[in-house]
Amino acid sequence: MVIMSVDVGDARSGIAVCDKGEMLASPVCVIEEYNAQKRLEKVKQKALELGAECVVVGLPKNMDGSEGDRAKSCREFASELSKLLDGIEVDLCDERATTMLAHTYLSITDVKGRKRKKTVDAVAAVIILESYLAMRKNKVVK
């Protein structure tokens, strides 16, 4: 199944996608949009363009597992996206520390400056998607 993930941000939202076999998650792009409604529409268009059969939205929980304003905002985004993508499943996935991990990966690969700013959200989306794919595999095995 083709699954697309979204790391939702106020200004930049990272997009990643996996292959039909759900083996490889790859960064696609970063959508730069401050307007919430336009951001939703651009994410919808990207999902349709990629042929996504499921869209996973990162849910930024606090380290103690509680949910704050940011998580509420992402839940609302996922709900609105689900309405726009009538018939395509929209799911949430815990994304605690993904941006921090993405920065670590980019440091290891020596990506700096403007290039880092333009790619960190897509890398975070890959991490969210990899986590979601691992969760799906564990559910199938059990």
Side-chain angles (χ1 to χ4, degrees):
M1 171 186 309
V2 175
I3 302 172
M4 183 181 98
S5 66
V6 186
D7 178 36
V8 181
D10 291 331
R12 289 178 300 280
S13 297
I15 304 291
V17 71
C18 74
D19 61 299
K20 277 198 171 285
E22 300 180 20
M23 298 297 291
L24 183 64
S26 304
V28 173
C29 67
V30 174
I31 294 172
E32 294 190 39
E33 182 59 63
Y34 288 91
N35 180 287
Q37 195 58 44
K38 288 181 182 178
R39 181 172 44 250
L40 267 168
E41 188 59 38
K42 287 180 179 183
V43 170
K44 172 194 166 189
Q45 290 304 325
K46 189 54 73 174
L48 295 175
E49 175 187 316
L50 294 170
E53 299 165 81
C54 175
V55 177
V56 178
V57 176
L59 182 64
K61 292 184 177 183
N62 296 322
M63 293 311 275
D64 66 0
S66 64
E67 294 184 13
D69 291 340
R70 193 79 195 123
K72 180 183 175 192
S73 172
C74 287
R75 279 191 183 279
E76 290 169 2
F77 179 90
S79 176
E80 291 300 313
L81 185 62
S82 180
K83 291 173 190 170
L84 288 174
L85 291 173
D86 186 38
I88 297 175
E89 179 185 358
V90 176
D91 207 351
L92 292 159
C93 183
D94 186 352
E95 69 156 76
R96 276 180 272 193
T98 55
T99 301
M100 187 172 63
L101 188 56
H103 278 290
T104 301
Y105 288 168
L106 292 172
S107 291
I108 290 169
T109 57
D110 204 31
V111 177
K112 297 177 182 164
R114 287 185 187 167
K115 187 169 184 180
R116 177 183 289 227
K117 188 174 182 179
K118 288 185 178 272
T119 59
V120 70
D121 298 299
V123 173
V126 169
I127 296 166
I128 292 166
L129 185 51
E130 287 174 341
S131 176
Y132 185 78
L133 293 174
M135 181 187 71
R136 282 175 56 88
K137 285 179 184 164
N138 286 336
K139 280 185 178 178
V140 171
V141 172
K142 290 182 180 177

